[in-house]
Structures are given as structure tokens and as C-alpha cells.
């Protein structure tokens, strides 16, 4: 994998600097980077001038060979479009055919990239997790009509596994999640009928 130099401007001291970043995080080969992503600090770098932490967000490919999954992180519209075109083009190549059994995803939000890494690390099906989160959200709204949340993410800490909710980008609360429900959701709604085939290349553009 290649390393690249990326320029940044420190929001604390206003001075510029450079940091190195990889274009791929491999769960098996880059364990430290993968752990940093799980802990929400992968994009953090220390300013060479003032020593404060600076978040430098950039495109990256998350590769989980254990789960046979890849997630492109494209933080802006041009990079999303480029990722989509790259995936479609790869489908006709030898390398692309080797990925036929892979889950291919695209996300444009840093929290969603961290969530994908966590979902696959825990061995869950990400489509089942999305439906699982909607079930919790529906339950909350049915009891609290004033509850507003446009976004939710699976999170895990020393206290357990939670679904965190966000309104206008701000954290507003969390509920403890029951992982046992994921298999139930998967079996009820995501089973492929006998004789049916999955798409050769599934792209989930988020």
C-alpha cells in the first residue's frame, strides 16, 4: 500500500504542516491503524508546531479480508463519484472478479467508517445492523414523539454495545443494544431465497 503526504493547517496555531497517510487500512496487516480507527483516532495527528491534536480527514479504503468486506471512505461528493466509478470499472477486471464474494460499501461520514470497522470486527452483518437500529429508533419514537434523530451509529465501550443517536450532528443519547436481535433480523428479513443469486457487485452508497 502507498503512503502519501497530506498538508494541513492547524486550527490552534494557524501554522501548516504535513502528515503521512495510507490509502488502505488492512485489518490483518495494519492492526494498529485498524485499532486506531475503532477508537476514533485514526485521522488524528499532532501539530509539529504547537503539539495540539489536529484531525486530518482523507480518503481511505478499509479492507477486512476476514469478513471479505471493503469500505471506501469518500468524504466529499467528487471522491464519492470517483469511488463509484472505480468500483464499477473494477468489476470487469481480474481483480474485480476476485471480489465477487466481497461486501463493497461506500461511506462519506467519518463515524460511519468507524462503525463499519466495528460491525465487521464484531462479526455482524451490516445490513442487519441498519435494520436493527431502525427497530430501536421506531421503539423510541413510539414512546417519545418529540424525539428527533437523523443519524445513529453502533458503538462499543467497556460498558457494552450501544446505539448512539445524533441530531444535527450532536450526540443526544444512546440505548443499550441487544446483539442477540441481529441474527433474528437477518434471518427474518435478509435471507436469500433458495435459487436466488446476489448481485455480482453490490455498492451501498451512503
Amino acid at each position: 500500500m502507498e503512503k502519501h503526504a497530506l498538508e494541513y493547517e492547524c486550527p490552534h496555531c494557524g501554522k501548516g504542516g504535513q502528515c503521512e497517510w495510507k490509502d488502505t487500512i488492512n485489518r490483518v496487516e495494519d492492526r494498529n491503524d485498524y485499532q486506531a480507527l475503532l477508537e476514533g483516532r485514526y485521522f488524528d495527528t499532532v501539530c509539529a508546531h504547537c503539539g495540539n491534536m489536529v484531525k486530518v480527514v482523507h480518503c481511505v479504503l478499509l479492507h477486512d479480508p476476514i469478513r471479505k468486506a471493503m469500505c471506501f471512505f469518500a468524504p466529499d461528493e467528487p471522491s464519492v463519484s470517483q469511488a463509484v466509478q472505480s468500483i464499477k470499472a473494477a468489476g470487469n477486471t481480474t481483480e474485480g472478479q476476485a471480489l465477487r464474494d466481497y461486501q463493497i460499501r461506500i461511506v462519506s461520514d467519518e463515524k460511519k467508517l468507524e462503525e463499519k470497522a466495528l460491525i465487521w470486527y464484531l462479526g455482524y452483518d451490516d445490513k442487519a445492523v441498519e435494520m436493527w437500529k431502525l427497530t430501536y429508533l421506531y421503539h423510541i419514537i413510539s414512546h417519545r414523539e418529540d424525539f428527533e434523530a437523523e443519524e445513529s451509529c453502533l458503538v462499543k465501550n467497556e460498558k457494552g454495545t450501544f446505539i448512539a443517536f445524533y441530531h444535527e450532528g450532536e450526540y443526544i443519547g444512546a440505548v443499550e443494544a441487544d446483539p442477540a436481535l441481529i441474527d433474528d433480523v437477518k434471518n427474518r428479513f435478509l435471507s436469500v431465497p433458495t435459487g436466488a443469486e446476489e448481485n455480482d457487485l453490490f455498492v451501498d452508497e451512503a
Side-chain angles (χ1 to χ4, degrees), residues 40-58:
R41 53 182 178 82
Y42 174 73
F43 295 105
D44 293 345
T45 190
V46 177
C47 175
H49 302 283
C50 67
N52 283 300
M53 196 66 69
V54 180
K55 188 172 291 293
V56 185
V57 179
H58 53 78

Side-chain angles (χ1 to χ4, degrees), residues 86-98:
S86 297
I87 293 172
K88 290 180 177 178
N92 298 319
T93 65
T94 303
E95 293 80 3
Q97 291 299 311

Side-chain angles (χ1 to χ4, degrees), residues 137 147-151 165-167 172:
L137 180 59
F147 186 79
E148 293 184 288
E150 301 86 17
E151 186 180 3
F165 295 97
Y166 302 85
H167 175 56
I172 57 174

Side-chain angles (χ1 to χ4, degrees), residues 13-159:
C13 68
K15 295 182 179 180
Q18 282 191 343
C19 62
E20 279 192 343
W21 63 279
K22 301 175 183 176
D23 52 13
T24 302
I25 304 173
N26 185 299
R27 176 179 172 180
V28 175
E29 299 174 0
D30 307 305
R31 295 181 183 273
N32 291 337
D33 288 334
Y34 197 90
Q35 187 62 37
L37 183 61
L38 290 174
E39 296 173 2
R41 53 182 178 82
Y42 174 73
F43 295 105
D44 293 345
T45 190
V46 177
C47 175
H49 302 283
C50 67
N52 283 300
M53 196 66 69
V54 180
K55 188 172 291 293
V56 185
V57 179
H58 53 78
C59 296
V60 69
L61 170 64
L62 174 64
H63 180 197
D64 188 335
I66 297 174
R67 294 289 297 169
K68 288 190 173 182
M70 287 185 174
C71 182
F72 290 81
F73 174 59
D76 51 47
E77 186 60 35
S79 55
V80 169
S81 299
Q82 183 178 2
V84 171
Q85 294 304 317
S86 297
I87 293 172
K88 290 180 177 178
N92 298 319
T93 65
T94 303
E95 293 80 3
Q97 291 299 311
L99 300 177
R100 290 186 59 168
D101 295 332
Y102 265 66
Q103 302 173 62
I104 308 294
R105 305 290 187 260
I106 299 175
V107 296
S108 55
D109 182 271
E110 181 187 340
K111 291 194 296 293
K112 291 298 183 182
L113 177 65
E114 295 167 3
E115 182 187 43
K116 291 294 184 188
L118 176 62
I119 289 171
W120 294 333
Y121 178 78
L122 295 175
Y124 298 155
D125 182 295
D126 64 335
K127 297 188 294 293
V129 168
E130 291 301 320
M131 299 186 72
W132 183 46
K133 292 190 298 182
L134 285 174
T135 301
Y136 275 90
L137 180 59
Y138 174 79
H139 179 73
I140 294 172
I141 292 177
S142 65
H143 290 81
R144 286 184 51 188
E145 294 184 358
D146 62 333
F147 186 79
E148 293 184 288
E150 301 86 17
E151 186 180 3
S152 60
C153 278
L154 184 71
V155 296
K156 184 177 178 63
N157 57 30
E158 66 279 358
K159 296 181 179 180

Side-chain angles (χ1 to χ4, degrees), residues 127 186-187 189-199:
K127 297 188 294 293
K186 183 176 180 180
N187 293 333
F189 303 107
L190 298 177
S191 298
V192 178
T194 303
E197 295 183 358
E198 294 276 11
N199 291 334

